[in-house]
Amino acid sequence: MTRRRFYAPPGAFNSSLDGVTLPPDEARYLRDVLRLNVGNEVYVFNGEGKEFHCQVEESRRDSARLKVIGEVDPARPESPLQLTLAVALLKGEKFDLVVQKATELGVTRVVPVATRLADIRLRDASDATKRVARWQRIALEAAKQSGRAVMPEISSPVTFASLLQENVEKSQRAIAESELYRLMFSERDGQSLTEAKAALPANPSRLTALVGSEGGWTNEELAAARQAGWTIVTLGGRTLRAETAAITVTTLLQHLFGDLS
């Protein structure tokens, strides 16, 4: 039987882990949409990989208190590949789609990137905050639907230069070699994924994939990425929409190094 799954952050569980209070949105979904009552059994995941079998003890309009029966294995396993997907900002529902499908496919982190030819420009910090909150809600629903007990991190938007600098600083701090594999996907001037794979270990535990906007990459951006140690990869001869490319890249990398067989 399909699990009726809800999300509650670690702080919503009491200190003895025998009780949990659902956030208001989840409580309303339990009460008003699924129409569950006291005594019904559900499952709650904490976004950090743990899932619990629970029983409803109290249900109000904006809160629900559950008894934890016991910890269980998550509905679906996590990929062994910790994949960060960095994506140039896309208009409206295009980025929503990428967040949704990337979550379903098992990414660990999504990083929105402001590039030279990005489809949109953020107005201010408030605009960025609202967009991130929306993407977090989309990721939550996708995690619930796909059986994941881990919520991918949705980072605040960064500039292209900041993304490159972040990776340079990681290298300078001598972080484990497995954290330094970076692939930048471009419509031109790159090697094939097969060629790039040959230069990687058989089972890298961490990868960062960067996918560009509909406008593609400028020559300056490609040169800066190479200088910062990124491998440029081109996917065949067809030109893909940016959202299609992001989903395709995630699928291919999970197939090669994760758990999509």
Side-chain angles (χ1 to χ4, degrees), residues 236-249:
R238 288 179 295 279
T239 300
L240 305 178
R241 290 183 179 275
E243 65 272 26
T244 305
I247 296 167
T248 300
V249 164

Side-chain angles (χ1 to χ4, degrees), residues 88-104:
L89 287 165
L90 303 170
K91 292 178 182 177
E93 295 182 357
K94 294 180 180 180
F95 206 95
D96 295 351
L97 178 67
V98 170
V99 170
Q100 180 189 62
K101 299 310 176 188
T103 300
E104 292 176 14

Side-chain angles (χ1 to χ4, degrees), residues 41-60:
E41 295 183 4
V42 299
Y43 293 83
V44 180
F45 67 98
N46 70 353
E48 296 184 352
K50 292 185 178 295
E51 187 153 343
F52 302 88
H53 183 198
C54 301
Q55 185 177 55
V56 180
E57 284 192 328
E58 180 182 272
S59 176
R60 299 181 181 276

Side-chain angles (χ1 to χ4, degrees), residues 81-86 107-111 155 163 166 170 206-210 253:
L81 176 65
Q82 295 188 44
L83 177 60
T84 293
L85 180 65
V107 300
T108 304
R109 183 185 179 207
V110 177
V111 182
S155 299
L163 180 70
E166 174 187 333
K170 284 182 178 179
R206 295 175 184 268
L207 276 176
T208 297
L210 173 59
L253 294 178

